Amino acid sequence: MHDGGKIMGGLAVFFALLLFPVWNNLAQGKADYRPNPQILPKGNCVESREYMLSSHMDLLNTWRDQVVRQDKRIYVSTLDGKEHLMSLSKTCLGCHTNKAEFCDQCHTYMNVAPYCWDCHVDPQANK
Amino acid sequence: MSFNRRDFLKLTGLGAVSAVAARAAAAFPFFGGAPGAVKAETNAKTAKRWAMVVDLTKCKENCTDCIDACHTTHNVPDFGDDKRHEVKWIWKEPYKQSFPDQENEFLKDDLSERRVLVFCNHCQNPPCTRVCPTRATWKRPEDGIVMMDWHRCIGCRYCMAACPYGSRSFNWLDPRPHIKTITPDYPTRTRGVVEKCNFCDSRLAQGQMPACVEACKDRALIFGDLEAPDSPVRQILRERFSIRRKPELGTQPQVYYVV
């Protein structure tokens, strides 16, 4: 047990390096960072805020399949019965015009990379 | 009746598994879908069987209005002279390659020497849809359009091997840098996806004619419903002699050529 000091010291250095991202963020005051998507319009979205927050990906999957595979292009909201064109670049980005400050905020924070934009065009980025 | 240690372990195990499964199913609603109803657009153009007639007596050989309109509308990339990466929706092919089954050795000069406008034939019996392992391409039962779902295409290129007309192209490279002006209303494609003419299904859904038909100043492209006896396509097929590409294969192309 003569090397106890070295072992403990080595372990301390090891964990300090291992946990560098954690204490570095704490030290820089970034630990309580929250994504802040810019929801520009004041009115209603196609469904309730809670539904869109939790399940917009399910909605978009349904829209995709209905438009491409069933040739159905109109969505009737359960919120107010309004009809919306099922289109990512026209309807969604028509209101939430800034993809970088809307979609990307949470997606980057959550480290999800939906491949919508490999093909669908962000009209803003195109200008 | 005895309840031994073995039965006890089985039951508790089963209980634990089903509890975890129920939690997992609630946490990840994979089959959630959207709550609202969906319906078709009211002003959409509909037909029982869409078809195109190309009037070669009117089509000007050096005019590319329809090709330009199509490629702009659908964000079709242009790879210049690089034939390995070429993406084709609507293009021109020499007559003898368009109609290799027309075996007459001697033909009218203006036919045998000319190039013919070709695109997806939207066959009634399409070989491409039969071979697709993911059902990314299929024939719409409502109107006969051979559709593609680029979300679902895995890029295996079976459909390209099956198509006897070379109507399908593969994206070997990211097409975006090769699109002159991107039309934001229509998606581009991505690397590893097959694409082709879709008879402008999204324009038809909005009540518009296909982009190529609208662009043709010489009215050489006639689009309509083959099942409607009074449709413009049926009228011209009644009055004029027409041929189709490789009819002997039994694919039943829905694109007719007036020669």
Side-chain angles (χ1 to χ4, degrees), chain B residues 63-224:
Chain B
C63 167
T64 57
D65 287 353
C66 56
I67 299 173
D68 297 340
C70 171
H71 288 187
T72 310
T73 308
H74 301 115
N75 293 324
V76 178
D78 179 11
F79 288 96
D81 292 331
D82 187 356
K83 294 287 173 195
R84 294 174 308 157
H85 298 138
E86 193 180 20
V87 172
K88 296 181 290 189
W89 281 46
I90 175 167
W91 73 104
K92 293 193 175 182
E93 201 76 70
Y95 177 87
K96 282 180 178 164
Q97 282 161 38
S98 307
F99 302 97
D101 51 299
Q102 300 283 319
E103 288 165 338
N104 294 10
E105 191 180 355
F106 301 104
L107 271 172
K108 284 170 70 188
D109 284 347
D110 58 343
L111 256 190
S112 60
E113 298 303 321
R114 75 167 294 165
R115 294 187 307 144
V116 175
L117 197 65
V118 293
F119 41 95
C120 172
N121 280 298
H122 295 273
C123 305
Q124 243 195 321
N125 181 20
C128 53
T129 62
R130 296 179 55 173
V131 296
C132 179
T134 59
R135 296 200 184 172
T137 186
W138 72 99
K139 189 169 180 65
R140 290 212 302 218
E142 303 82 26
D143 56 10
I145 290 180
V146 175
M147 266 295 285
M148 278 209 68
D149 185 346
W150 293 310
H151 304 98
R152 210 183 270 201
C153 175
I154 57 170
C156 71
R157 295 179 284 136
Y158 280 7
C159 57
M160 291 175 66
C163 175
Y165 306 101
S167 296
R168 290 171 171 270
S169 305
F170 186 66
N171 284 282
W172 291 98
L173 302 173
D174 178 16
R176 277 222 180 148
H178 303 276
I179 302 169
K180 269 172 256 157
T181 45
I182 289 182
T183 306
D185 284 355
Y186 203 82
T188 68
R189 266 67 62 198
T190 184
R191 199 175 65 139
V193 169
V194 171
E195 62 183 88
K196 70 169 192 76
C197 157
N198 53 19
F199 264 1
C200 281
D201 74 292
S202 59
R203 286 176 59 89
L204 291 172
Q206 294 163 45
Q208 294 170 302
M209 285 301 251
C212 55
V213 177
E214 210 174 85
C216 182
K217 289 191 285 287
D218 300 302
R219 305 206 176 280
L221 293 171
I222 300 106
F223 187 73

Side-chain angles (χ1 to χ4, degrees), chain B residues 220-241:
Chain B
L221 293 171
I222 300 106
F223 187 73
D225 186 0
L226 269 190
E227 302 279 344
D230 299 328
S231 68
V233 282
R234 283 287 293 278
Q235 271 173 24
I236 190 163
L237 291 179
R238 255 198 304 271
E239 291 159 9
R240 311 277 297 278
F241 177 71

Side-chain angles (χ1 to χ4, degrees), chain A residues 69 74-76 83 119-120, chain B residues 36-37 39 135 149 176 188:
Chain A
R69 302 192 76 85
I74 304 290
Y75 181 77
V76 186
E83 295 185 355
C119 295
H120 290 275
Chain B
K39 57 186 191 181
R135 296 200 184 172
D149 185 346
R176 277 222 180 148
T188 68

